[in-house]
Structures are given as C-alpha cells and as structure tokens.
Amino acid sequence: TVKRNNQVQFMANPYSVEDSLDWIGRPGEGQQDAYDRQTYLKKKELALDIDRGSLVETVVTRDDDAGTAGQLDGIYAWATGSRLIALTGSPSLTEGLYGDLAQAIAEASGQTADTAFISGNLKRSITNWGTAIRRMAEGQKTYTNSIGEFDGDWGTQRIVWDLHTTAGYLLLCKMSDISIAYGVPVKTVELGKTRDTRQGYVKTEFTLEVKNPNTVGLTTGLV
C-alpha cells in the first residue's frame, strides 16, 4: 500500500463584541445576544473556508515559528498524470471532452466517478446538452431541461455547482473516496473580556483524505 501524505491546516476566525450591541437593534439580532450571533456567523464563514480549502488549495509548508499556518492539498491537487488534462485554446466543454476525463479516471482506477464539480459557465454548457422541449399549453414556448445528472459511457455523475470552483475547471471524482479528516473539529474558544468587549474565536484543524487518488480527475482550460 502506497500512502501519500497531506498537510493538516489550522483555520481560525476571531471576533469581538461590545456590550452595547446587546441592546442596539441590528439585522438578525434580537432573538440571541450579539456574541452568540457572531459565533454563528463566524462558524458559517469557517465552513466556507473549509469548503474552499479542500477544493482549490495546494500544499504550502512553513516552519513552526513562521507565524502563518501552512496549507493542505485540496482535491484539485490530487489529479495527476493522465487524469490531469490541461487544454489550450479555451475550448467549450463538450460531451466528448467530458468523456475523455471520465474515461481516464475509469482506466486509471477501474472505477467510475460519481460527482462532477463545476463553475457556473460550465454548468450552463452542460445544460445546453439537454434536449429542448415545447410546452403546448404555454404558447409554444421552448424550454431546456436542466441537467442534474449526466449518464454517459463512464458512469453516472451528479453535477454540482460549487461557489469556490475555478472557472474553466472540470473536476470528476468518486465522493466515497474523499473525506475531511478533523484533528480538531470546529469549536468555539472564548478569550474573556477586555473592558466592555467580549472576545473569542472559532477554529478547526483538518486535512483532506483521499483513499484512492486515481478516482480524481481534472480538466483545465475550458470556457
């Protein structure tokens, strides 16, 4: 068994709240005190940071005393060899190009990808593969079915638009082989008060675990 290491990444979002914010009306506050509200919002921010990091980041190692945390390898970085297709000339995404990547994964791993992560422009390209339909009762208007799953020669993939995907990148993977491994699950740390300000932060320590890198493929350079 060959293992590939990944780096553990530390993430933290600090915040502070003055006492006066408990009685000043602000959107979203009122049902809970201002400190709890900020805790909730910072956890949501941290969740977005985890999503982005596990997708697009590449390993950066730093000394222990660097003052800045290192970075892990996101899922993009696990696509190598025949499973990394770098296109030139900015071609549009076609079923043929999609199938080339799906085939590369199947031939490298003996398994098929089950999920595609794409940016907004590629989501619209895939939708254009759908067949236009007419609604007779609505004045002959034509609609195109949105494609939520693609069933091709190399398995069926769920099509997922993700906020943090890189424009022009098509990622195919098998989700059961990918997981977030937490050293420290998301938690809240309260630092106490300084004068009339209550301070704290939310943090986590995690890395991306990929059980079979051969089930991860990436095509770049699309429009």
Side-chain angles (χ1 to χ4, degrees), residues 154-167:
W154 310 100
T156 300
Q157 291 84 41
R158 184 170 58 103
I159 307 300
V160 178
W161 169 79
D162 190 285
L163 174 67
H164 300 297
T165 52
T166 302

Side-chain angles (χ1 to χ4, degrees), residues 4-207:
R4 171 179 164 179
N5 294 330
N6 200 0
Q7 185 147 313
V8 173
Q9 184 159 336
F10 291 36
M11 288 185 176
N13 283 338
Y15 54 100
S16 60
V17 176
E18 295 181 5
D19 290 345
S20 57
L21 293 180
D22 281 330
W23 63 267
I24 296 175
R26 290 194 173 189
E29 295 175 359
Q31 290 76 30
Q32 56 186 166
D33 64 42
Y35 184 86
D36 289 341
R37 174 66 176 171
Q38 289 302 311
T39 300
Y40 168 76
L41 292 175
K42 290 299 180 180
K43 284 183 176 179
K44 290 180 71 70
E45 287 182 11
L46 194 61
L48 288 172
D49 291 340
I50 293 170
D51 181 45
R52 181 187 180 282
S54 60
L55 185 66
V56 306
E57 286 189 352
T58 55
V59 156
V60 176
T61 58
R62 295 187 172 94
D63 293 335
D64 293 340
D65 59 354
T68 304
Q71 293 179 186
L72 54 79
D73 255 342
I75 191 62
Y76 283 168
W78 295 79
T80 59
S82 64
R83 297 171 289 102
L84 176 58
I85 303 174
L87 301 175
T88 58
S90 300
S92 297
L93 178 59
T94 64
E95 292 185 56
L97 292 175
Y98 185 100
D100 288 344
L101 182 60
Q103 180 178 354
I105 292 171
E107 291 178 345
S109 67
Q111 304 178 62
T112 57
D114 59 19
T115 307
F117 288 96
I118 54 176
S119 55
N121 61 319
L122 298 188
K123 179 70 167 73
R124 296 178 68 176
S125 294
I126 292 176
T127 293
N128 288 335
W129 302 346
T131 302
I133 59 175
R134 290 191 178 277
R135 305 283 175 83
M136 301 297 289
E138 299 184 21
Q140 298 288 337
K141 292 182 179 179
T142 300
Y143 298 85
T144 300
N145 285 328
S146 176
I147 297 178
E149 286 188 346
F150 180 74
D151 186 10
D153 294 327
W154 310 100
T156 300
Q157 291 84 41
R158 184 170 58 103
I159 307 300
V160 178
W161 169 79
D162 190 285
L163 174 67
H164 300 297
T165 52
T166 302
Y169 279 33
L170 167 66
L171 171 69
L172 300 183
C173 59
K174 185 176 180 181
M175 287 301 294
S176 60
D177 287 337
I178 302 168
S179 60
I180 300 293
Y182 288 98
V184 176
V186 175
K187 70 174 185 177
T188 304
V189 179
E190 185 166 356
L191 299 175
K193 294 189 69 174
T194 301
R195 299 183 179 87
D196 63 347
T197 300
R198 189 177 175 189
Q199 300 174 327
Y201 62 91
V202 293
K203 69 162 290 184
T204 187
E205 298 172 17
F206 76 101
T207 193

